[in-house]
Amino acid sequence: QVQLVESGGGLVQAGESLRLSCVASGSIVRINAMGWSRQAPGKQRELVAGITGGGITNYADSVKGRFTISRDNAENTVYLQMNSLKPEDTAVYYCYADIGGWRRWGQGTRVTVSS
């Protein structure tokens, strides 16, 4: 069984930064892509950033230049550095990991950005 646990969410003011972490544990042979999505109140979940096993990254247009995704393959961990946060970044952030042909999801960590 595989578990993903996020951490690092919280309440910040606009312009500040947060760093999210997500650790995958359990029966893992190999993790392919990892990434983050978010769901704001009353909105659909959207992909924020992804990173392949080889380190190729992609970002939603709304976060390009502000967010940076990275991973530590030895620790089965993915990070999301979020800078210049805006109130519209307020959401629950979920990490994912593609393992064994399945996309696994974490339980989410809440990020609130006040104006």
Side-chain angles (χ1 to χ4, degrees), residues 7-9 11 17 27 31 40 50 67 79 94-95 102 104 107-108 113:
S7 61
L11 171 63
S17 299
S27 301
I31 301 178
F67 290 11
Y79 304 97
Y94 301 90
C95 72
W102 295 90
R104 318 281 182 159
Q107 294 300 305
V113 184

Side-chain angles (χ1 to χ4, degrees), residues 16-18 20 36 38 46 48-49 57-60 62-70 79-86 88-90 93 111 113:
E16 294 184 339
S17 299
L18 279 175
L20 305 183
W36 295 87
R38 68 185 180 187
E46 64 169 342
V48 174
T57 61
N58 61 85
Y59 298 93
S62 58
V63 306
K64 282 181 181 176
R66 300 188 298 121
F67 290 11
T68 302
I69 189 171
S70 60
Y79 304 97
L80 187 67
Q81 178 67 42
M82 306 186 295
N83 298 330
S84 303
L85 282 161
K86 304 176 181 180
E88 50 264 43
D89 294 318
T90 294
Y93 284 71
V111 173
V113 184

Side-chain angles (χ1 to χ4, degrees), residues 98-111:
D98 292 344
I99 302 170
W102 295 90
R103 177 156 288 183
R104 318 281 182 159
W105 293 93
Q107 294 300 305
T109 185
R110 186 174 301 275
V111 173

